[in-house]
Every structure is written in C-alpha cells, then in structure tokens.
C-alpha cells in the first residue's frame, strides 16, 4: 500500500476532504434516468478532482432509480483517495454502476481498506465495492485490502460500443479498465446475467491485474439477451477478459489478508 500512498498528492493539494462522516438515514433517488452521471450515495452523490474520502460510514439504505449508486458515494472521478470507508446499508440501483462503497470510480484513484457488509443489487456493472472502475492505461487505479461480505446481484447486462461487449457483476468490482485489485476478499455470494466473477466480472485492458485475492462466495450466472447463442461466462475470480486483452490473475491465501 505504500506505493499507492506515494502516488497521492497528500501535501495539501486535495481540493476536498470528507472525513469521519456517518449517515444513518435512508437515501432515495426517485429521478429515473439510465444516463445521469450525478450519482446517489450515503455520504456524497458526486465527487471530483482530488477528493480525500476517509473514515466514513453509511448505515442507511440507499435506493436509486438512476445510474451511479453507492453506499458511500455514487460517482467519483479524477484522482481521488478513498480510505477505510464502510457500508452497512443495503444498496439498490435500478440501472448500471452500483456498488457497496462506490457506484463508479474514474481516472487514477485509489481505494484502500474499505468494506461492505450489506446486500448490493443493481443493473450492469454491479460490485461489492465498486460497480465500475474506468481509467486510462497511463492513470492506473487501485483497490487494495478491500473486502465484501454482502450478497451481490446484477439484474441485467448491457452491450457497450466502447468495449464491444457486456459489462459484468463481481464480488469486488463489477467491471474494470486499467485497474489493480490487490489483496481483496469477497465472502459474499455473487449472481448476475451473462458475465459474473467472484472478484471481478469484466476486465477491459492489458493493464488490468487481480493479485493475491480470495473469493469464497458462490458464483452463479444466468443467460441474458446480449449473446443470441446464450453463452455465459462465470469464474471464481474473473468472469471474462475482453477479447484482445490479457489480464494477470494470481490467487491469494487467507494469510496474505491478515
């Protein structure tokens, strides 16, 4: 984790700091939209550009009729740092990008020692920690020492023009691009449509890596409408790596997680 800390501008250059905040109330977003990027979360809906989010908890139920739904924050973009945040409230998203801690995370951000204990249900890109993490290859993001104990359910899949395929459901990350997932644990059952993985559902770049992770929950998948042939992808660690890309996957042990 020391390398990740060194990559953070924690020398006074964080524009926003959100620390030690706790939400106990139910949060409901009734605005129906599959394309809105504003987000819904227990602590924040939308955060961008060098935000430090540390020691926050959500204990209320989170429900949204739109995309980008998370237990702590809905949509987080551009060089952010999330550390020791916990979610204990059920999270339900009607559309894509739904996660126990973050609905979506973009562009060179780090999430360290965060945990989800509640059930998560969403559309495409649903994960125990984050629904979707997307970064360019030069701005790698990372999840380190995160864990999920809740059940994760992805209720549908979508076909995207950018990746040429469907997005998945995962115990830690629903779908990822240019992202490291390191020393993470998923102990919750994971189910979804078409593409499901115990740690990550979908990887989209050669720089994606899953290192020393452990997945103990049951992984189940059902066929959707994306592939007319009814083909599905299910993996104890990874659902699928997009055609033309190579993902490095190394399994871990419980001793590594202590």
């Amino acid at each position: 984790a020391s390398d990740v800390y060194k990559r953070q501008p924690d020398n006074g250059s964080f524009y926003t700091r959100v620390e030690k905040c706790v939400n106990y109330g139910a949060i409901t977003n009734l605005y129906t939209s599959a394309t809105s990027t504003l987000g819904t979360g227990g602590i924040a809906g939308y955060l961008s550009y060098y935000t430090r989010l540390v020691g926050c908890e959500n204990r209320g139920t989170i429900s949204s009729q739109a995309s980008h739904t998370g237990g702590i924050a809905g949509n987080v973009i551009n060089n952010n740092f999330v550390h020791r945040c916990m979610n204990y409230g059920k999270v339900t998203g009607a559309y894509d990008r739904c996660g126990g801690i973050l609905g979506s995370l973009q562009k060179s951000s780090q999430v360290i020692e965060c945990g989800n204990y509640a059930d998560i249900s969403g559309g495409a890109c649903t994960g125990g920690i984050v629904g979707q993490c997307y970064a360019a290859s030069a701005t790698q993001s990372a999840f380190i020492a995160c864990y999920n104990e809740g059940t994760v359910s992805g209720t549908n899949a979508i076909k995207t023009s950018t990746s040429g395929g469907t997005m998945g459901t995962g115990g830690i990350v629903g779908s990822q691009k240019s992202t490291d997932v390191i020393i993470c644990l998923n102990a919750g059952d994971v189910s979804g449509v078409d593409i499901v993985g115990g740690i990550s559902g979908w990887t989209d770049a050669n720089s994606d890596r899953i290192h020393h992770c452990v997945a103990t929950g049951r992984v189940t998948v059902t066929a959707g409408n994306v592939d007319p042939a009814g083909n599905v992808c299910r993996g104890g660690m990874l659902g699928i790596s997009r055609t033309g890309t190579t993902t490095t996957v190394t399994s871990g042990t419980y001793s590594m997680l202590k």
Side-chain angles (χ1 to χ4, degrees):
S2 59
D3 290 339
V4 176
Y5 278 103
K6 290 175 184 177
R7 286 158 56 187
Q8 285 300 313
D10 195 11
N11 55 3
S13 61
F14 278 102
Y15 299 155
T16 304
R17 294 172 182 263
V18 183
E19 300 183 356
K20 299 180 180 179
C21 295
V22 181
N23 173 59
Y24 291 94
I27 306 294
T28 303
N29 181 1
L30 299 177
Y31 174 63
T32 302
S33 174
T35 58
S36 173
T37 61
L38 295 180
T40 304
I43 301 299
Y46 181 92
L47 296 170
S48 67
Y49 297 100
Y50 298 107
T51 294
R52 179 182 171 91
L53 188 61
V54 176
C56 295
E57 292 184 9
N58 173 63
R59 295 181 177 271
T61 59
I62 309 297
S63 177
S64 176
Q65 296 298 312
S67 300
H68 304 278
T69 307
I72 298 297
N75 192 7
V76 180
I77 66 172
N78 291 339
N79 300 285
N80 299 284
F81 179 67
V82 184
H83 186 212
R84 291 188 176 177
C85 291
M86 305 294 164
N87 177 58
Y88 301 93
K90 182 178 179 180
V91 179
T92 304
Y95 289 101
D96 59 306
R97 299 174 179 88
C98 182
I101 299 299
L102 308 173
S104 59
L105 181 70
Q106 301 178 45
K107 297 181 182 179
S108 190
S109 297
Q110 283 76 48
V111 180
I112 301 173
E113 296 177 347
C114 292
N116 172 63
Y117 295 90
D119 294 345
I120 310 300
S121 177
C125 307
T126 295
I129 298 298
V130 65
Q132 183 185 53
C133 183
Y134 184 93
S137 58
T139 58
Q140 194 88 352
S141 290
F143 291 80
I144 299 177
C146 294
Y147 51 93
N148 170 62
E149 294 188 7
T151 62
V152 180
S153 175
T155 57
N156 67 286
I158 59 174
K159 192 174 182 71
T160 66
S161 58
T162 55
S163 63
T166 61
M167 298 298 189
T169 302
I172 298 296
V173 182
S175 64
Q176 64 184 76
K177 182 174 183 178
S178 300
T179 302
D180 292 328
V181 183
I182 303 171
I183 319 177
C184 291
L185 167 67
N186 173 50
D189 292 342
V190 186
S191 63
V193 177
D194 291 321
I195 298 171
V196 185
I199 296 295
S200 178
W202 170 278
T203 59
D204 201 76
N206 288 330
S207 56
D208 284 313
R209 293 176 292 186
I210 300 172
H211 281 316
H212 305 313
C213 294
V214 175
T216 61
R218 178 180 296 180
V219 179
T220 58
V221 62
T222 57
N225 298 319
V226 174
D227 188 341
N231 295 322
V232 297
C233 299
R234 177 183 66 173
M237 299 292 284
L238 171 64
I240 190 172
S241 179
R242 182 172 66 89
T243 302
T245 65
T246 301
T247 299
T248 302
V249 180
T250 57
S251 61
T253 62
Y254 275 107
S255 62
M256 294 178 178
L257 305 178
K258 295 180 179 178

PDB file of all heavy atoms in Angstrom, residues 135-169:
ATOM      1  N   ALA A 135     -10.295   3.699 -16.046  1.00  0.00           N
ATOM      2  CA  ALA A 135      -9.149   4.609 -16.106  1.00  0.00           C
ATOM      3  C   ALA A 135      -8.375   4.359 -17.383  1.00  0.00           C
ATOM      4  O   ALA A 135      -8.419   3.263 -17.951  1.00  0.00           O
ATOM      5  CB  ALA A 135      -8.235   4.411 -14.888  1.00  0.00           C
ATOM      6  N   ALA A 136      -7.665   5.382 -17.845  1.00  0.00           N
ATOM      7  CA  ALA A 136      -6.767   5.207 -18.977  1.00  0.00           C
ATOM      8  C   ALA A 136      -5.530   4.453 -18.512  1.00  0.00           C
ATOM      9  O   ALA A 136      -5.207   4.424 -17.326  1.00  0.00           O
ATOM     10  CB  ALA A 136      -6.379   6.569 -19.554  1.00  0.00           C
ATOM     11  N   SER A 137      -4.823   3.818 -19.464  1.00  0.00           N
ATOM     12  CA  SER A 137      -3.682   2.983 -19.096  1.00  0.00           C
ATOM     13  C   SER A 137      -2.588   3.763 -18.385  1.00  0.00           C
ATOM     14  O   SER A 137      -1.836   3.219 -17.578  1.00  0.00           O
ATOM     15  CB  SER A 137      -3.108   2.315 -20.350  1.00  0.00           C
ATOM     16  OG  SER A 137      -2.722   3.307 -21.293  1.00  0.00           O
ATOM     17  N   ALA A 138      -2.485   5.061 -18.660  1.00  0.00           N
ATOM     18  CA  ALA A 138      -1.457   5.883 -18.026  1.00  0.00           C
ATOM     19  C   ALA A 138      -1.888   6.394 -16.655  1.00  0.00           C
ATOM     20  O   ALA A 138      -1.109   7.027 -15.955  1.00  0.00           O
ATOM     21  CB  ALA A 138      -1.105   7.075 -18.923  1.00  0.00           C
ATOM     22  N   THR A 139      -3.143   6.129 -16.266  1.00  0.00           N
ATOM     23  CA  THR A 139      -3.660   6.628 -14.987  1.00  0.00           C
ATOM     24  C   THR A 139      -4.308   5.486 -14.223  1.00  0.00           C
ATOM     25  O   THR A 139      -5.491   5.495 -13.941  1.00  0.00           O
ATOM     26  CB  THR A 139      -4.683   7.752 -15.200  1.00  0.00           C
ATOM     27  OG1 THR A 139      -5.759   7.261 -16.021  1.00  0.00           O
ATOM     28  CG2 THR A 139      -4.047   8.949 -15.875  1.00  0.00           C
ATOM     29  N   GLN A 140      -3.492   4.468 -13.903  1.00  0.00           N
ATOM     30  CA  GLN A 140      -3.989   3.265 -13.266  1.00  0.00           C
ATOM     31  C   GLN A 140      -4.664   3.548 -11.924  1.00  0.00           C
ATOM     32  O   GLN A 140      -4.171   4.331 -11.114  1.00  0.00           O
ATOM     33  CB  GLN A 140      -2.814   2.303 -13.036  1.00  0.00           C
ATOM     34  CG  GLN A 140      -3.228   0.887 -12.697  1.00  0.00           C
ATOM     35  CD  GLN A 140      -3.420   0.042 -13.935  1.00  0.00           C
ATOM     36  OE1 GLN A 140      -3.396   0.540 -15.052  1.00  0.00           O
ATOM     37  NE2 GLN A 140      -3.620  -1.245 -13.736  1.00  0.00           N
ATOM     38  N   SER A 141      -5.811   2.920 -11.679  1.00  0.00           N
ATOM     39  CA  SER A 141      -6.476   2.982 -10.390  1.00  0.00           C
ATOM     40  C   SER A 141      -6.203   1.697  -9.623  1.00  0.00           C
ATOM     41  O   SER A 141      -5.778   0.687 -10.198  1.00  0.00           O
ATOM     42  CB  SER A 141      -7.983   3.181 -10.555  1.00  0.00           C
ATOM     43  OG  SER A 141      -8.285   4.476 -11.027  1.00  0.00           O
ATOM     44  N   ALA A 142      -6.472   1.698  -8.301  1.00  0.00           N
ATOM     45  CA  ALA A 142      -6.159   0.533  -7.494  1.00  0.00           C
ATOM     46  C   ALA A 142      -7.145   0.354  -6.355  1.00  0.00           C
ATOM     47  O   ALA A 142      -7.602   1.329  -5.754  1.00  0.00           O
ATOM     48  CB  ALA A 142      -4.743   0.648  -6.932  1.00  0.00           C
ATOM     49  N   PHE A 143      -7.458  -0.921  -6.077  1.00  0.00           N
ATOM     50  CA  PHE A 143      -8.209  -1.323  -4.888  1.00  0.00           C
ATOM     51  C   PHE A 143      -7.303  -2.228  -4.078  1.00  0.00           C
ATOM     52  O   PHE A 143      -6.846  -3.258  -4.575  1.00  0.00           O
ATOM     53  CB  PHE A 143      -9.480  -2.073  -5.275  1.00  0.00           C
ATOM     54  CG  PHE A 143     -10.514  -1.199  -5.931  1.00  0.00           C
ATOM     55  CD1 PHE A 143     -10.398  -0.862  -7.274  1.00  0.00           C
ATOM     56  CD2 PHE A 143     -11.583  -0.705  -5.213  1.00  0.00           C
ATOM     57  CE1 PHE A 143     -11.341  -0.049  -7.890  1.00  0.00           C
ATOM     58  CE2 PHE A 143     -12.528   0.114  -5.814  1.00  0.00           C
ATOM     59  CZ  PHE A 143     -12.403   0.445  -7.146  1.00  0.00           C
ATOM     60  N   ILE A 144      -7.027  -1.847  -2.840  1.00  0.00           N
ATOM     61  CA  ILE A 144      -6.088  -2.594  -2.017  1.00  0.00           C
ATOM     62  C   ILE A 144      -6.731  -2.927  -0.673  1.00  0.00           C
ATOM     63  O   ILE A 144      -7.289  -2.046  -0.001  1.00  0.00           O
ATOM     64  CB  ILE A 144      -4.783  -1.799  -1.802  1.00  0.00           C
ATOM     65  CG1 ILE A 144      -4.103  -1.531  -3.145  1.00  0.00           C
ATOM     66  CG2 ILE A 144      -3.844  -2.536  -0.863  1.00  0.00           C
ATOM     67  CD1 ILE A 144      -2.846  -0.699  -3.053  1.00  0.00           C
ATOM     68  N   ALA A 145      -6.660  -4.207  -0.290  1.00  0.00           N
ATOM     69  CA  ALA A 145      -7.137  -4.666   1.019  1.00  0.00           C
ATOM     70  C   ALA A 145      -8.587  -4.288   1.273  1.00  0.00           C
ATOM     71  O   ALA A 145      -8.952  -3.867   2.368  1.00  0.00           O
ATOM     72  CB  ALA A 145      -6.226  -4.134   2.132  1.00  0.00           C
ATOM     73  N   CYS A 146      -9.419  -4.440   0.262  1.00  0.00           N
ATOM     74  CA  CYS A 146     -10.861  -4.205   0.412  1.00  0.00           C
ATOM     75  C   CYS A 146     -11.582  -5.546   0.543  1.00  0.00           C
ATOM     76  O   CYS A 146     -11.083  -6.570   0.096  1.00  0.00           O
ATOM     77  CB  CYS A 146     -11.410  -3.436  -0.784  1.00  0.00           C
ATOM     78  SG  CYS A 146     -10.766  -1.753  -0.937  1.00  0.00           S
ATOM     79  N   TYR A 147     -12.774  -5.529   1.141  1.00  0.00           N
ATOM     80  CA  TYR A 147     -13.480  -6.786   1.364  1.00  0.00           C
ATOM     81  C   TYR A 147     -14.988  -6.587   1.294  1.00  0.00           C
ATOM     82  O   TYR A 147     -15.516  -5.522   1.619  1.00  0.00           O
ATOM     83  CB  TYR A 147     -13.095  -7.400   2.704  1.00  0.00           C
ATOM     84  CG  TYR A 147     -13.197  -6.453   3.877  1.00  0.00           C
ATOM     85  CD1 TYR A 147     -14.362  -6.379   4.640  1.00  0.00           C
ATOM     86  CD2 TYR A 147     -12.138  -5.633   4.212  1.00  0.00           C
ATOM     87  CE1 TYR A 147     -14.460  -5.502   5.704  1.00  0.00           C
ATOM     88  CE2 TYR A 147     -12.220  -4.752   5.275  1.00  0.00           C
ATOM     89  CZ  TYR A 147     -13.383  -4.695   6.022  1.00  0.00           C
ATOM     90  OH  TYR A 147     -13.477  -3.817   7.069  1.00  0.00           O
ATOM     91  N   ASN A 148     -15.651  -7.644   0.839  1.00  0.00           N
ATOM     92  CA  ASN A 148     -17.104  -7.637   0.736  1.00  0.00           C
ATOM     93  C   ASN A 148     -17.665  -8.876   1.408  1.00  0.00           C
ATOM     94  O   ASN A 148     -17.197  -9.992   1.168  1.00  0.00           O
ATOM     95  CB  ASN A 148     -17.549  -7.621  -0.728  1.00  0.00           C
ATOM     96  CG  ASN A 148     -19.047  -7.855  -0.850  1.00  0.00           C
ATOM     97  OD1 ASN A 148     -19.847  -7.067  -0.353  1.00  0.00           O
ATOM     98  ND2 ASN A 148     -19.422  -8.950  -1.495  1.00  0.00           N
ATOM     99  N   GLU A 149     -18.706  -8.677   2.242  1.00  0.00           N
ATOM    100  CA  GLU A 149     -19.377  -9.801   2.895  1.00  0.00           C
ATOM    101  C   GLU A 149     -20.860  -9.885   2.510  1.00  0.00           C
ATOM    102  O   GLU A 149     -21.555 -10.799   2.939  1.00  0.00           O
ATOM    103  CB  GLU A 149     -19.243  -9.696   4.417  1.00  0.00           C
ATOM    104  CG  GLU A 149     -17.818  -9.852   4.909  1.00  0.00           C
ATOM    105  CD  GLU A 149     -17.715  -9.929   6.424  1.00  0.00           C
ATOM    106  OE1 GLU A 149     -18.780  -9.989   7.081  1.00  0.00           O
ATOM    107  OE2 GLU A 149     -16.587  -9.935   6.941  1.00  0.00           O
ATOM    108  N   GLY A 150     -21.358  -8.943   1.735  1.00  0.00           N
ATOM    109  CA  GLY A 150     -22.763  -8.949   1.334  1.00  0.00           C
ATOM    110  C   GLY A 150     -22.979  -9.714   0.044  1.00  0.00           C
ATOM    111  O   GLY A 150     -22.042  -9.953  -0.722  1.00  0.00           O
ATOM    112  N   THR A 151     -24.226 -10.103  -0.216  1.00  0.00           N
ATOM    113  CA  THR A 151     -24.555 -10.714  -1.494  1.00  0.00           C
ATOM    114  C   THR A 151     -24.602  -9.634  -2.573  1.00  0.00           C
ATOM    115  O   THR A 151     -25.020  -8.505  -2.328  1.00  0.00           O
ATOM    116  CB  THR A 151     -25.904 -11.443  -1.437  1.00  0.00           C
ATOM    117  OG1 THR A 151     -26.938 -10.495  -1.139  1.00  0.00           O
ATOM    118  CG2 THR A 151     -25.892 -12.528  -0.383  1.00  0.00           C
ATOM    119  N   VAL A 152     -24.152  -9.992  -3.763  1.00  0.00           N
ATOM    120  CA  VAL A 152     -24.098  -9.049  -4.887  1.00  0.00           C
ATOM    121  C   VAL A 152     -24.920  -9.626  -6.030  1.00  0.00           C
ATOM    122  O   VAL A 152     -24.710 -10.768  -6.454  1.00  0.00           O
ATOM    123  CB  VAL A 152     -22.648  -8.815  -5.349  1.00  0.00           C
ATOM    124  CG1 VAL A 152     -22.616  -7.832  -6.522  1.00  0.00           C
ATOM    125  CG2 VAL A 152     -21.790  -8.299  -4.198  1.00  0.00           C
ATOM    126  N   SER A 153     -25.848  -8.826  -6.534  1.00  0.00           N
ATOM    127  CA  SER A 153     -26.735  -9.297  -7.601  1.00  0.00           C
ATOM    128  C   SER A 153     -26.805  -8.281  -8.731  1.00  0.00           C
ATOM    129  O   SER A 153     -27.168  -7.125  -8.518  1.00  0.00           O
ATOM    130  CB  SER A 153     -28.140  -9.538  -7.041  1.00  0.00           C
ATOM    131  OG  SER A 153     -29.039  -9.888  -8.077  1.00  0.00           O
ATOM    132  N   GLY A 154     -26.426  -8.695  -9.933  1.00  0.00           N
ATOM    133  CA  GLY A 154     -26.558  -7.877 -11.132  1.00  0.00           C
ATOM    134  C   GLY A 154     -27.756  -8.361 -11.920  1.00  0.00           C
ATOM    135  O   GLY A 154     -27.807  -9.517 -12.349  1.00  0.00           O
ATOM    136  N   THR A 155     -28.725  -7.503 -12.098  1.00  0.00           N
ATOM    137  CA  THR A 155     -30.004  -7.951 -12.637  1.00  0.00           C
ATOM    138  C   THR A 155     -30.091  -7.939 -14.153  1.00  0.00           C
ATOM    139  O   THR A 155     -31.025  -8.502 -14.711  1.00  0.00           O
ATOM    140  CB  THR A 155     -31.151  -7.091 -12.080  1.00  0.00           C
ATOM    141  OG1 THR A 155     -30.898  -5.708 -12.385  1.00  0.00           O
ATOM    142  CG2 THR A 155     -31.239  -7.249 -10.573  1.00  0.00           C
ATOM    143  N   ASN A 156     -29.163  -7.278 -14.830  1.00  0.00           N
ATOM    144  CA  ASN A 156     -29.195  -7.305 -16.292  1.00  0.00           C
ATOM    145  C   ASN A 156     -27.826  -6.946 -16.841  1.00  0.00           C
ATOM    146  O   ASN A 156     -26.956  -6.462 -16.117  1.00  0.00           O
ATOM    147  CB  ASN A 156     -30.238  -6.330 -16.841  1.00  0.00           C
ATOM    148  CG  ASN A 156     -29.869  -4.881 -16.582  1.00  0.00           C
ATOM    149  OD1 ASN A 156     -29.970  -4.398 -15.457  1.00  0.00           O
ATOM    150  ND2 ASN A 156     -29.436  -4.173 -17.612  1.00  0.00           N
ATOM    151  N   ALA A 157     -27.634  -7.189 -18.117  1.00  0.00           N
ATOM    152  CA  ALA A 157     -26.380  -6.859 -18.788  1.00  0.00           C
ATOM    153  C   ALA A 157     -26.658  -5.906 -19.926  1.00  0.00           C
ATOM    154  O   ALA A 157     -27.764  -5.825 -20.440  1.00  0.00           O
ATOM    155  CB  ALA A 157     -25.698  -8.126 -19.311  1.00  0.00           C
ATOM    156  N   ILE A 158     -25.626  -5.150 -20.335  1.00  0.00           N
ATOM    157  CA  ILE A 158     -25.762  -4.226 -21.450  1.00  0.00           C
ATOM    158  C   ILE A 158     -24.629  -4.449 -22.431  1.00  0.00           C
ATOM    159  O   ILE A 158     -23.584  -4.971 -22.085  1.00  0.00           O
ATOM    160  CB  ILE A 158     -25.755  -2.758 -20.972  1.00  0.00           C
ATOM    161  CG1 ILE A 158     -24.442  -2.452 -20.220  1.00  0.00           C
ATOM    162  CG2 ILE A 158     -26.957  -2.447 -20.114  1.00  0.00           C
ATOM    163  CD1 ILE A 158     -24.299  -0.998 -19.851  1.00  0.00           C
ATOM    164  N   LYS A 159     -24.849  -4.049 -23.665  1.00  0.00           N
ATOM    165  CA  LYS A 159     -23.801  -4.098 -24.680  1.00  0.00           C
ATOM    166  C   LYS A 159     -23.328  -2.680 -24.923  1.00  0.00           C
ATOM    167  O   LYS A 159     -24.121  -1.772 -25.104  1.00  0.00           O
ATOM    168  CB  LYS A 159     -24.325  -4.708 -25.974  1.00  0.00           C
ATOM    169  CG  LYS A 159     -23.241  -5.057 -26.974  1.00  0.00           C
ATOM    170  CD  LYS A 159     -23.852  -5.784 -28.154  1.00  0.00           C
ATOM    171  CE  LYS A 159     -22.783  -6.199 -29.160  1.00  0.00           C
ATOM    172  NZ  LYS A 159     -21.930  -7.260 -28.685  1.00  0.00           N
ATOM    173  N   THR A 160     -22.016  -2.476 -24.881  1.00  0.00           N
ATOM    174  CA  THR A 160     -21.473  -1.127 -24.991  1.00  0.00           C
ATOM    175  C   THR A 160     -20.651  -0.979 -26.256  1.00  0.00           C
ATOM    176  O   THR A 160     -19.989  -1.899 -26.704  1.00  0.00           O
ATOM    177  CB  THR A 160     -20.580  -0.802 -23.783  1.00  0.00           C
ATOM    178  OG1 THR A 160     -19.433  -1.660 -23.828  1.00  0.00           O
ATOM    179  CG2 THR A 160     -21.313  -1.011 -22.474  1.00  0.00           C
ATOM    180  N   SER A 161     -20.656   0.215 -26.818  1.00  0.00           N
ATOM    181  CA  SER A 161     -19.898   0.472 -28.037  1.00  0.00           C
ATOM    182  C   SER A 161     -18.418   0.640 -27.741  1.00  0.00           C
ATOM    183  O   SER A 161     -17.576   0.369 -28.573  1.00  0.00           O
ATOM    184  CB  SER A 161     -20.431   1.736 -28.712  1.00  0.00           C
ATOM    185  OG  SER A 161     -20.351   2.850 -27.847  1.00  0.00           O
ATOM    186  N   THR A 162     -18.063   1.099 -26.526  1.00  0.00           N
ATOM    187  CA  THR A 162     -16.658   1.359 -26.216  1.00  0.00           C
ATOM    188  C   THR A 162     -15.877   0.082 -26.002  1.00  0.00           C
ATOM    189  O   THR A 162     -14.715  -0.020 -26.356  1.00  0.00           O
ATOM    190  CB  THR A 162     -16.543   2.239 -24.961  1.00  0.00           C
ATOM    191  OG1 THR A 162     -17.255   1.595 -23.885  1.00  0.00           O
ATOM    192  CG2 THR A 162     -17.136   3.603 -25.205  1.00  0.00           C
ATOM    193  N   SER A 163     -16.494  -0.923 -25.410  1.00  0.00           N
ATOM    194  CA  SER A 163     -15.763  -2.152 -25.111  1.00  0.00           C
ATOM    195  C   SER A 163     -16.125  -3.290 -26.056  1.00  0.00           C
ATOM    196  O   SER A 163     -15.425  -4.294 -26.108  1.00  0.00           O
ATOM    197  CB  SER A 163     -16.062  -2.593 -23.672  1.00  0.00           C
ATOM    198  OG  SER A 163     -17.431  -2.887 -23.540  1.00  0.00           O
ATOM    199  N   GLY A 164     -17.237  -3.147 -26.788  1.00  0.00           N
ATOM    200  CA  GLY A 164     -17.622  -4.181 -27.709  1.00  0.00           C
ATOM    201  C   GLY A 164     -18.253  -5.395 -27.053  1.00  0.00           C
ATOM    202  O   GLY A 164     -18.343  -6.451 -27.652  1.00  0.00           O
ATOM    203  N   GLY A 165     -18.661  -5.279 -25.818  1.00  0.00           N
ATOM    204  CA  GLY A 165     -19.243  -6.432 -25.148  1.00  0.00           C
ATOM    205  C   GLY A 165     -20.031  -6.010 -23.935  1.00  0.00           C
ATOM    206  O   GLY A 165     -20.342  -4.850 -23.738  1.00  0.00           O
ATOM    207  N   THR A 166     -20.361  -6.975 -23.109  1.00  0.00           N
ATOM    208  CA  THR A 166     -21.164  -6.680 -21.933  1.00  0.00           C
ATOM    209  C   THR A 166     -20.292  -6.316 -20.739  1.00  0.00           C
ATOM    210  O   THR A 166     -19.114  -6.629 -20.682  1.00  0.00           O
ATOM    211  CB  THR A 166     -22.022  -7.896 -21.562  1.00  0.00           C
ATOM    212  OG1 THR A 166     -21.149  -8.988 -21.272  1.00  0.00           O
ATOM    213  CG2 THR A 166     -22.961  -8.263 -22.676  1.00  0.00           C
ATOM    214  N   MET A 167     -20.902  -5.665 -19.776  1.00  0.00           N
ATOM    215  CA  MET A 167     -20.244  -5.393 -18.510  1.00  0.00           C
ATOM    216  C   MET A 167     -20.736  -6.400 -17.493  1.00  0.00           C
ATOM    217  O   MET A 167     -21.852  -6.904 -17.590  1.00  0.00           O
ATOM    218  CB  MET A 167     -20.553  -3.969 -18.048  1.00  0.00           C
ATOM    219  CG  MET A 167     -20.056  -2.901 -18.996  1.00  0.00           C
ATOM    220  SD  MET A 167     -18.267  -2.929 -19.181  1.00  0.00           S
ATOM    221  CE  MET A 167     -18.006  -1.417 -20.102  1.00  0.00           C
ATOM    222  N   GLY A 168     -19.949  -6.673 -16.453  1.00  0.00           N
ATOM    223  CA  GLY A 168     -20.253  -7.791 -15.584  1.00  0.00           C
ATOM    224  C   GLY A 168     -20.640  -7.442 -14.162  1.00  0.00           C
ATOM    225  O   GLY A 168     -20.821  -6.283 -13.790  1.00  0.00           O
ATOM    226  N   THR A 169     -20.746  -8.501 -13.366  1.00  0.00           N
ATOM    227  CA  THR A 169     -21.044  -8.427 -11.943  1.00  0.00           C
ATOM    228  C   THR A 169     -19.913  -9.117 -11.197  1.00  0.00           C
ATOM    229  O   THR A 169     -19.499 -10.221 -11.574  1.00  0.00           O
ATOM    230  CB  THR A 169     -22.384  -9.133 -11.638  1.00  0.00           C
ATOM    231  OG1 THR A 169     -23.417  -8.537 -12.404  1.00  0.00           O
ATOM    232  CG2 THR A 169     -22.715  -9.031 -10.155  1.00  0.00           C
TER     233      THR A 169
END
